[in-house]
Amino acid sequence: MIEDSPFVAAAPVLVPMPAERPYTYAVPPGMRVVPGSIVRVPLGPRQVAGIVWDGTVETVDAKKLRSIEQVFDCPPIDRAMRRFVDWIAQYTLSAPGMVARMLLRAPEAFDPEPWIEGLQRTLAEPDRLTDARRRVLETAEGGLAWTRSGLAHAAGVSSTVIGGLRAQGVFETVMIPPRPVVAAPDPGHAVPELMPDQKAAAEKLRAAIAADAFNVTLLDGVTGSGKTEVYFEAVAAALDKGGQVLILLPEIALTHAFLERFQDRFGAKPAEWHSDLPPRMRERVWRQVAEGGVRVVAGARSALFLPFEDLGLIVVDEEHDPAYKQEDRVFYNARDMAVVRGHIGGFPVVLASATPSVESRVNASQGRYDRVVLSSRFAEAALPDLKSIDMRRSPPARGGFLSPVLVEQMRRTLERKEQSLLFLNRRGYAPLTLCRVCGHRFGCPVCSAWLVEHRFRGQLVCHHCGHNERRPEACPECGTLDHLVACGPGVERIAEEVVGHFPDARTIVLSSDLLGGVRRLRLELEAVANGEADIVIGTQLVAKGHNFPGMTLVGVVDADLGLANGDPRAAERTFQLLSQVTGRAGRTGKKSLGLLQTYQPDHPVMRAIVSGDSEAFYEREIAERERAALPPFGRLAGIIVSAATRGEAESHARALRRSAPTASDLFVLGPAEAPLSLLGGRHRFRLLIQGERRADMQGFIRAMLAEGPKLRGSVRVQVDIDPQSFL
DNA sequence: AGCACGCCGACT
DNA sequence: GTCGGCGTGCTC
């Protein structure tokens, strides 16, 4: 730990940069630090916050040694959290300093929250009692301290009135401790009446909490089965035991609706934690989590790095959601890191989903996780009647993309004054533009993916790197005017087709391109929920989180989209997405319908969705993955995400094969996950591995580094899950 | 990751 | 003559 040299005491300090090990700093005489202390240290030309780490210090050149400037008045990062940082650094092959950086993302929170100035009633009486003064005294009755502006506001007077009373000694200045960011949740606030299978599931979770040990439960409940209510019982049990609780949600799902639901159950909102929390709030939440004042946090993946004082449960909702993957700097999957955090902290973890990831299903079937299934649905929340439309038999009209079968159902839905949702997971107007004369295709000059036409904006946009240009009139290759043709549909194009069919219907397109940002989007979603649109055309953004009570028809424009992209998870992802989308309808109690436009009605994904038999899908998918040795079965799959040149990508692919001969598949992909054949231009080399066996993977990385020392620093690793060595 | 230093093109 | 592009190198 802290070692005394003959001259100065020194401490290892993890600084927030890609350092492989802690740096050594001198501890000035009289300063007290312990492992976990958050300290201010000089680093190059600037001052940074670092964490005093475990272990002995390395002797460094006396000329290099600098001193810790300050120990923050802040609870030290506990041992479990420090081990968590080291574990993640090792597992993701990232520098520990970069992992530590994720803990230090609330710089102002390291100093205690200041007490604020307040006013308290004294025994003195004012010289004259005016109307305004009387209101102030009535408001302040009860002896509690008020802020000056708060009291003025509550009494409906100007703050000069308060100032006058203060001057007369009717009020005295007192210091008020910082206000809690949220009220304390009450586990007994509104205990729900649970259905029998919910009750049984809640009992199992409660037992896991009572056991006071690490354990993972996969809570697998079909849409509408009341998963949230069940895991709220686990939350209540953990709170009863006195621990703190973290509920992880995919960023998108961190909605108002969830917070309300929590408040209904516990009488208070959880503290929120996500990337667009205002800085002041961020600091207060961080501090109060560290001090234990906040009991429950609902947050995005970064909430995993909050310094909980006494964490007793993590719930990962929608555990299959890809938003849990962080894919820059430190590559990690928050769902898996939550499991690791539980293991280190010795507490239970609950993974909840209506469509669990294949990894979690495998972990459950192999006994590493417990599995609790909720199979019955509330009667009024029945799923829609689901059917596929075989596009070979009911093709769309020329130039269109909607089958007559779907159009007819939309017409009927309109007649009944109910809402339809068309889902197409593709922004813009058309995913590819080409010249009818010379065949020129518009590609991205930066990353060589195709440019997507956004007709509304008059632009061609690269959805991978954000590059955009004006849509020209003439072909840049042959110069012919007005012969550019849009290939394939995006939501804008579907909207055009819909308006052609139903010119009088209120049609709206919802995608992340919507002008006006998140606020506008929220307003539009609300408007739709209030019935202010007849037909909604949306990307996956409509698939998540939001309920539309009047929606009785869901049409999936291209259910096959995403099945053929070479991703080993394509079928799983499509199944999950289609389950979610079709779940958007049918919560009304009215009869509702889901239609999937597909060219492969016999594909296992379509059969599973239409029949509702997800068990069969999982069994088949797991068997298939095992046979092909794809994730999550103990083989390694490497993905080169981008390379400096095509030749370099190829040579690294060969190196990859040599060093990982057992790898089942080597995916050589472009920066845009485009096939290698699309790679062109110069790109920084980056490597992304979705692998299972850590030993294989690390060996491979070492081989890569030996192969090309210049690559060091630009190699990044993603590990999805490693069931063999995980726990 | 920041941030400084350092060496070549278009402008107050 | 300077401002500014990002390549390279370092941080106890």
Side-chain angles (χ1 to χ4, degrees), chain A residues 6 47 68 101 141 147 159 198 223 286 288 429 453 509 534 540 565 580 603 605 647 668 718:
Chain A
Q47 299 266 317
I68 295 176
R101 188 173 173 270
E141 237 164 51
T147 62
S159 75
Q198 282 183 305
T223 311
W286 196 95
Q288 293 180 24
Y429 185 84
E453 178 178 352
V509 175
D534 302 311
Q540 68 173 5
N565 67 2
Q580 270 181 341
H603 192 286
V605 170
V668 181
Q718 161 100 39

Side-chain angles (χ1 to χ4, degrees), chain A residues 469-481:
Chain A
E469 50 191 72
R470 262 216 92 63
R471 182 183 185 273
E473 304 287 311
C475 171
E477 195 73 27
C478 67
T480 318
L481 273 166

Side-chain angles (χ1 to χ4, degrees), chain A residues 93 97 102 104 123 127 169 180 198 228 237 283 328 397 451 520 532 535 563 595 622 693 717:
Chain A
L93 300 172
M102 300 193 290
L104 298 167
L123 295 172
D127 52 359
Q198 282 183 305
T228 311
E283 291 146 19
D328 59 273
L451 293 176
R520 167 86 188 283
E532 291 168 32
I535 301 169
L563 276 180
L595 293 173
I622 290 169
R693 214 153 57 192
V717 175

Side-chain angles (χ1 to χ4, degrees), chain A residues 425-490:
Chain A
N425 204 10
R426 208 188 260 141
R427 293 154 52 211
Y429 185 84
L432 171 67
T433 303
L434 53 79
C435 171
R436 215 194 317 242
V437 176
C438 71
H440 171 75
R441 300 167 162 209
F442 286 79
C444 175
V446 183
C447 65
S448 71
W450 301 129
L451 293 176
V452 178
E453 178 178 352
H454 284 242
R455 189 159 286 191
F456 184 64
R457 286 190 268 160
Q459 284 185 322
L460 297 175
V461 181
C462 175
H463 283 184
H464 298 298
C465 69
H467 165 86
N468 63 84
E469 50 191 72
R470 262 216 92 63
R471 182 183 185 273
E473 304 287 311
C475 171
E477 195 73 27
C478 67
T480 318
L481 273 166
D482 296 331
H483 276 268
L484 301 180
V485 49
C487 298

Side-chain angles (χ1 to χ4, degrees), chain A residues 91-208:
Chain A
Y91 187 71
T92 62
L93 300 172
S94 333
M98 288 304 284
V99 184
R101 188 173 173 270
M102 300 193 290
L103 269 77
L104 298 167
R105 284 271 173 84
E108 304 303 317
F110 309 147
D111 284 317
E113 279 185 76
W115 289 45
I116 46 176
E117 216 167 79
L119 293 171
Q120 186 151 36
R121 182 78 170 90
T122 62
L123 295 172
E125 291 298 329
D127 52 359
R128 286 181 306 114
L129 198 59
T130 63
D131 234 28
R133 286 179 172 186
R134 187 169 44 249
R135 285 208 300 280
V136 171
L137 295 187
E138 279 166 10
T139 307
E141 237 164 51
L144 289 171
W146 288 76
T147 62
R148 189 183 162 115
S149 62
L151 181 54
H153 190 80
V157 301
S158 106
S159 75
T160 55
V161 178
I162 314 283
L165 290 169
R166 161 81 193 85
Q168 288 182 24
V170 178
F171 284 95
E172 63 181 351
T173 306
V174 291
M175 295 312 283
I176 312 176
R179 197 162 36 89
V181 285
V182 283
D186 171 12
H189 178 77
V191 181
E193 203 47 60
L194 296 177
M195 313 277 284
D197 66 338
Q198 282 183 305
K199 204 175 265 178
E203 265 330 298
K204 285 189 185 165
L205 295 184
R206 280 187 173 274

Side-chain angles (χ1 to χ4, degrees), chain A residues 333-354:
Chain A
N333 185 327
R335 178 243 291 150
D336 300 335
M337 295 311 109
V339 171
V340 172
R341 181 73 184 80
H343 190 240
I344 291 173
F347 58 77
V349 176
V350 175
L351 309 180
S353 176

